[in-house]
């Protein structure tokens, strides 16, 4: 029997040096499809200067930098004006850097295939009218319209609020069309399928892993009491970090050493001089393992928190909001759940005190890793059967 041939349509292809959660999730999903026996060809853009990590089955559309925080004022205005003119979301407009014909030619270069895998809304939304000639599976990394609405509520700038509300309105319609068109939908959290209005027979949740092989944890010397890592310039992540800094940190002991790694808005760095903001660290795993406890502080957004998965795979002790563990069915024993700032701070303080006395409370993360991998393989099998 001939294997299923899939064309994986994604805004960013897997590449060496991938750092964002979206890229890590992409690689995990593609590897899962390949494990299922499918033949997968990947079509999308690359970051400037990056090299594809799967060049033998990747079709590149070119290079793009879609990060709003790195764009100049003129570029941001161009994106907004083009979005208004075309009726597209800003996230899709950023990818309209090639013509319809160039996109069609790229698809044609893939040869014969059976179905699309539409990975997220951005590229699928940019060329939606050209992706209806084959059956499709839609991968909903988040409920994007819900995240955009939360962003609109959180920001104070009136222009940003208007733009986020526009994105939310357009994304709600786009997500519905992509879900209606799809033969099956993969979500990254059970709640997302419900929010997208999908019947249980049409979607499955993909448990994710961070690496192709389970990590080998290292017991490192303590460098920090608390370590937080993420892309804090992404609005849902920023909301969580601000919640931690404003609500939880004042309740912690004054000698608590807190480090934050990852891209961080400058206004937060300036506001919290007693927090060590490290920017991008060369080894994210070593940074996390050098902490006594990992606070998982998500309070907004949809989808799954990949930093939560990484923490569990490393067997690190942590304190997490319930929002941080969405999409994960089995929570490790060394993870304490707390949503109220007082309870969150008390749990952190207790765990740090234990670590300072030599009780590191690490678990074998391989158990969690294999649970996730098995769950992903079952979900992918179910989704491909829908084709």
């Amino acid at each position: 029997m001939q294997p299923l041939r899939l064309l994986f349509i994604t805004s960013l292809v897997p590449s060496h040096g991938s750092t964002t959660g979206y890229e890590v999730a992409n690689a995990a999903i593609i590897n899962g499809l390949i494990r299922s026996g499918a033949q997968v060809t990947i079509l999308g853009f690359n970051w400037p200067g990056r090299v594809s990590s799967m060049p033998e089955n990747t079709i590149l559309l070119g290079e793009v930098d879609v990060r709003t925080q790195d764009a100049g004022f003129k570029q941001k205005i161009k994106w907004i004006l083009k979005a208004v003119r075309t009726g597209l979301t800003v996230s899709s407009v950023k990818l309209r850097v090639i013509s319809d014909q160039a996109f069609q030619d790229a698809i044609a270069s893939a040869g014969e295939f059976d179905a699309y895998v539409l990975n997220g809304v951005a590229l699928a939304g940019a060329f939606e009218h050209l992706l209806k000639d084959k059956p499709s599976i839609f991968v909903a990394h988040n409920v994007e319209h819900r995240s955009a609405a939360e962003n609109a509520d959180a920001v104070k700038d009136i222009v940003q609020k208007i733009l986020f509300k526009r994105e939310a309105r357009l994304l709600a319609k786009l997500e519905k069309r992509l879900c209606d068109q799809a033969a099956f939908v993969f979500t990254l959290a059970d709640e997302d399928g419900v929010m997208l209005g999908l019947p249980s027979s049409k979607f499955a949740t993909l448990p994710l892993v961070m690496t192709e092989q389970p990590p080998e944890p290292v017991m490192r010397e303590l460098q920090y009491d608390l370590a937080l890592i993420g892309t804090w310039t992404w609005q849902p992540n920023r909301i969580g970090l601000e919640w931690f800094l404003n609500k939880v940190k004042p309740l912690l002991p004054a000698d608590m050493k807190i480090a934050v790694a990852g891209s961080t808005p400058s206004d937060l760095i300036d506001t919290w001089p007693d927090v060590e903001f490290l920017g991008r660290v060369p080894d994210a795993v070593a940074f996390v393992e050098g902490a006594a406890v990992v606070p998982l502080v998500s309070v907004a957004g949809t989808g799954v928190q990949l930093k939560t998965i990484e923490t569990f795979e490393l067997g690190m002790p942590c304190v997490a909001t319930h929002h941080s563990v969405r999409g994960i069915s089995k929570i490790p024993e060394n993870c304490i759940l707390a949503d109220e700032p007082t309870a969150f701070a008390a749990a952190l303080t207790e765990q740090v005190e234990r670590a300072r006395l030599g009780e590191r409370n690490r678990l074998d993360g391989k158990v969690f890793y294999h649970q996730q991998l098995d769950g992903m393989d079952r979900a992918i099998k179910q989704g491909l059967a829908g084709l």
Side-chain angles (χ1 to χ4, degrees):
M1 183 176 179
Q2 184 176 339
L4 196 62
R5 299 165 298 179
L6 303 174
L7 185 59
F8 192 88
I9 305 289
T10 181
S11 55
L12 293 170
V13 304
S15 62
H16 294 293
S18 296
T19 57
T20 67
Y22 175 73
E23 294 172 274
V24 172
N26 292 351
I29 295 166
I30 290 167
N31 286 331
L33 291 169
I34 293 171
R35 280 197 310 275
S36 77
Q39 291 182 355
V40 182
T41 302
I42 308 157
L43 186 149
F45 292 93
N46 210 352
W47 289 111
R50 288 268 189 89
V51 177
S52 170
S53 58
M54 301 179 180
E56 67 284 351
N57 58 340
T58 295
I59 300 169
L60 280 178
L61 298 173
E63 295 184 343
V64 292
D65 189 337
V66 296
R67 292 170 292 196
T68 302
Q69 68 271 15
D70 293 341
F73 178 75
K74 287 185 178 179
Q75 180 61 72
K76 292 176 183 177
I77 293 298
K78 285 181 180 179
W79 282 335
I80 293 169
L81 293 177
K82 189 173 181 179
V84 171
R85 186 174 70 252
T86 60
L88 297 175
T89 66
V90 173
S91 60
S92 288
V93 154
K94 292 176 181 179
L95 302 174
R96 288 287 303 184
V97 295
I98 61 172
S99 66
D100 283 359
Q101 187 61 53
F103 189 76
Q104 286 178 305
D105 291 344
I107 291 176
S109 71
E112 290 296 322
F113 62 95
D114 302 303
Y116 295 109
V117 178
L118 303 180
N119 184 53
V121 298
L123 189 54
F127 296 97
E128 184 183 359
H129 56 297
L130 302 177
L131 296 168
K132 297 182 178 180
D133 59 314
K134 299 270 188 180
S136 66
I137 287 178
F138 175 48
V139 183
H141 283 248
N142 302 281
V143 182
E144 300 287 358
H145 76 270
R146 177 67 66 90
S147 296
E150 289 178 345
N151 294 344
D153 291 338
V155 298
K156 295 179 174 60
D157 180 80
I158 187 63
V159 175
Q160 283 188 298
K161 193 176 288 290
I162 291 170
L163 290 174
F164 276 129
K165 285 185 176 181
R166 177 185 183 273
E167 290 286 290
R169 185 175 67 255
L170 294 177
L171 283 167
K173 295 177 182 178
L174 174 59
E175 286 175 314
K176 185 177 189 309
R177 291 196 301 271
L178 292 174
C179 287
D180 288 347
Q181 173 188 333
F184 201 82
V185 178
F186 289 132
T187 66
L188 303 188
D190 289 338
E191 301 93 322
D192 290 3
V194 176
M195 282 190 278
L196 288 168
L198 295 168
S200 59
S201 59
K202 192 173 179 176
F203 83 95
T205 299
L206 288 181
L208 297 180
V209 294
M210 297 292 292
T211 54
E212 289 190 44
Q213 299 295 327
E216 294 292 342
V218 177
M219 191 65 74
R220 302 177 191 272
E221 183 179 349
L222 288 181
Q223 301 292 322
Y224 310 102
D225 293 314
L226 306 178
L228 299 90
I229 186 168
T231 305
W232 308 110
T233 48
W234 189 50
Q235 188 65 24
N237 285 355
R238 175 180 175 136
I239 293 170
L241 181 58
E242 287 187 309
W243 173 81
F244 172 78
L245 293 173
N246 290 316
K247 303 293 186 181
V248 178
K249 183 182 176 299
L251 304 176
L252 297 172
D255 66 343
M256 192 79 77
K257 190 174 183 181
I258 304 171
V260 177
S263 180
T264 308
S266 58
D267 60 312
L268 290 185
I269 297 173
D270 295 339
T271 303
W272 301 97
D274 56 340
V275 173
E276 193 168 346
F277 291 97
L278 303 175
R280 183 174 294 176
V281 291
D283 190 333
V285 170
F287 169 73
V288 170
E289 289 183 322
V293 185
V294 178
L296 300 171
V297 297
S298 177
V299 294
T302 53
V304 70
Q305 284 285 300
L306 290 178
K307 291 306 173 186
T308 298
I309 292 173
E310 181 178 56
T311 301
F312 291 173
E313 286 181 356
L314 293 172
M316 287 292 295
C318 59
V319 178
T321 61
H322 281 82
H323 205 79
S324 296
V325 299
R326 63 191 185 274
I328 299 174
S329 58
K330 295 182 180 180
I331 311 300
E333 294 178 0
N334 62 347
C335 176
I336 299 173
L337 298 179
D339 292 319
E340 293 300 321
T342 301
F344 201 97
L348 286 176
T349 302
E350 178 189 357
Q351 293 236 47
V352 168
E353 288 176 351
R354 291 170 61 184
R356 288 177 176 178
L357 293 172
E359 189 179 344
R360 298 291 291 272
N361 199 22
R362 292 281 294 269
L363 297 178
D364 183 358
K366 292 186 179 68
V367 175
F368 174 80
Y369 179 93
H370 288 295
Q371 287 173 351
Q372 292 287 104
L373 202 67
D374 291 345
M376 179 194 289
D377 289 346
R378 288 194 301 272
I380 285 177
K381 183 178 180 180
Q382 179 185 353
L384 296 184
L387 288 170

